[in-house]
Amino acid sequence: MYEGAVQDLIDELGRLPGIGPKSAQRIAFHLLQADEVDVKRLVDSLLEVKAKVRFCQTCGNIAQGEQCRICVDPRRDATVICVVEEPKDVVAIERTREFRGRYHVLGGAISPMEGVGPDDLSIAALFARLSDRSVTEVIIATDPNLEGEATATYLVRAMGDIDVRITRLASGLPVGGDLEYADEITLGRAFEGRRLLNA
């Protein structure tokens, strides 16, 4: 449609999640009209995040060192692990100020349609964390959609032989929704009303 560098920029922007062709075009033309200083600041931010940010070796959350700020915080309750799909879910739960334990980020959810199975997630790392028997409760906080429910069901079955209390966030979260879009009150009530999955 456009020539050379402009079309390349539109194509690259269009590869970002949630950015369609029209949005990619609008962003590209915004960048073309922006001051060079502003564009350089954006480029520097992108390069810096790629150079400095990694995934926590313990929980899989984003970190600027080997471990994230939550895993190194001695005030967090290490006996309770909240299992989430993505780092953005950690941020959503932290906003509630209801949870004082630690997290485990799976890196997605089981989705046969997209070719994502249990081996593609950090489930083995979760079981490694549970192996020393210091964890007393695992809260499953996967999204309340088909993939999230499939992942929760798989985890409950796989943890069947482990002596740990397994709970799931209570309803109050909309079915088919994502944790990152839930407000603090809804997420807070979901934590208060979580239910036991293994009796």
Side-chain angles (χ1 to χ4, degrees):
M1 201 177 214
Y2 295 96
E3 292 183 17
V6 174
Q7 189 59 50
D8 290 345
L9 177 59
I10 292 170
D11 291 343
E12 289 303 313
L13 291 168
R15 293 175 56 196
L16 296 172
I19 305 292
K22 293 281 187 195
S23 295
Q25 184 177 316
R26 275 194 301 276
I27 295 168
F29 280 102
H30 171 78
L31 292 172
L32 283 171
Q33 294 172 348
D35 289 339
E36 192 171 330
V37 174
D38 294 335
V39 175
K40 186 176 181 337
R41 197 167 50 243
L42 174 62
V43 170
D44 290 344
S45 294
L46 290 170
L47 292 172
E48 184 177 15
V49 81
K50 286 303 290 177
K52 292 183 178 178
V53 177
R54 56 189 49 91
F55 293 102
C56 177
Q57 290 182 348
T58 303
C59 74
N61 191 17
I62 55 171
Q64 290 205 21
E66 289 185 11
Q67 290 186 307
C68 70
R69 63 177 176 76
I70 295 170
C71 285
V72 298
D73 187 346
R75 297 169 298 179
R76 302 300 291 233
D77 184 356
T79 66
V80 181
I81 293 179
C82 181
V83 179
V84 296
E85 293 178 21
E86 304 287 347
K88 62 187 177 188
D89 300 329
V90 172
V91 173
I93 292 170
E94 284 296 289
R95 282 196 314 252
T96 70
R97 295 191 169 96
E98 291 286 331
F99 181 65
R100 297 302 305 156
R102 305 257 170 107
Y103 293 92
H104 188 84
V105 180
L106 294 173
I110 295 171
S111 177
M113 296 291 285
E114 294 180 20
V116 179
D119 294 338
D120 299 312
L121 306 176
S122 67
I123 293 173
L126 173 62
F127 286 112
R129 292 179 71 186
L130 299 176
S131 64
D132 70 358
R133 308 264 182 209
S134 63
V135 176
T136 59
E137 181 181 6
V138 173
I139 302 168
I140 299 177
T142 53
D143 288 337
N145 56 25
L146 192 60
E147 293 83 6
E149 291 299 326
T151 306
T153 301
Y154 177 87
L155 290 173
V156 170
R157 288 182 182 153
M159 287 189 275
D161 295 335
I162 300 174
D163 183 25
V164 65
R165 182 175 189 243
I166 305 169
T167 57
R168 177 94 165 109
L169 289 187
S171 59
L173 294 172
V175 174
D178 292 333
L179 285 176
E180 70 175 308
Y181 300 118
D183 63 284
E184 292 87 351
I185 296 169
T186 301
L187 263 175
R189 287 181 182 159
F191 259 95
E192 291 171 1
R194 65 185 185 269
R195 65 190 194 283
L196 187 64
L197 295 179
N198 64 334

